Amino acid sequence: NFDLTISNTAGIKKLPREEVNFLPCQIKYTGEADVKDLFRATVRKEKDAQQLEEIEYAASFHGRALKGQFVPLPQNYVGLVCLREEVAGKSEKKKSVNWRAQSAFTNYRY
């Protein structure tokens, strides 16, 4: 658990908007990755059994096929993509963590 304080909510409106894809998994890798080459997403329309039009999101990650759905956030909510920054404390053992908002989103693909 952690506490989150947003000190400048007006700044959220100025953040660039991002398309967010959520992969519910853990990847044991801590280095940089060229996500545009490793994760490919496409959108295709398919019809269900009742002939209603639905949108299916298809993607691949390291060559493995994934299917997803579009998830809007509740009205008046905004998601934030944040960068973790460790800040040295007064003593060598104490560090604090700051989260700096990089971009915002109002929906995501899951």
Side-chain angles (χ1 to χ4, degrees):
N1 280 335
F2 65 91
D3 293 325
L4 176 65
T5 303
I6 298 176
S7 57
N8 182 6
T9 57
I12 292 173
K13 293 178 182 175
K14 296 177 184 175
L15 290 171
R17 296 294 189 225
E18 286 286 335
E19 283 189 18
V20 174
N21 296 290
F22 177 65
L23 295 174
C25 63
Q26 182 179 24
I27 299 169
K28 295 187 180 203
Y29 179 73
T30 58
E32 291 188 22
D34 191 356
V35 175
K36 291 183 186 201
D37 283 343
L38 300 173
F39 182 79
R40 297 176 192 265
T42 60
V43 178
R44 76 180 166 239
K45 290 183 179 183
E46 291 189 351
K47 294 191 177 190
D48 64 11
Q50 296 146 348
Q51 297 300 309
L52 299 173
E53 192 173 86
E54 289 189 349
I55 297 177
E56 177 183 273
Y57 294 95
S60 66
F61 183 70
H62 280 274
R64 292 184 169 83
L66 304 169
K67 288 188 179 182
Q69 63 186 16
F70 177 82
V71 180
L73 296 182
Q75 189 172 0
N76 298 322
Y77 279 71
V78 175
L80 298 175
V81 177
C82 297
L83 176 67
R84 178 187 167 122
E85 297 175 329
E86 288 191 8
V87 179
K90 292 181 180 178
S91 72
E92 192 174 304
K93 293 181 181 180
K94 292 207 173 202
K95 288 185 181 178
S96 64
V97 175
N98 289 342
W99 294 91
R100 186 166 41 98
Q102 298 290 298
S103 58
F105 61 94
T106 56
N107 53 60
Y108 64 94
R109 283 182 281 228
Y110 175 80

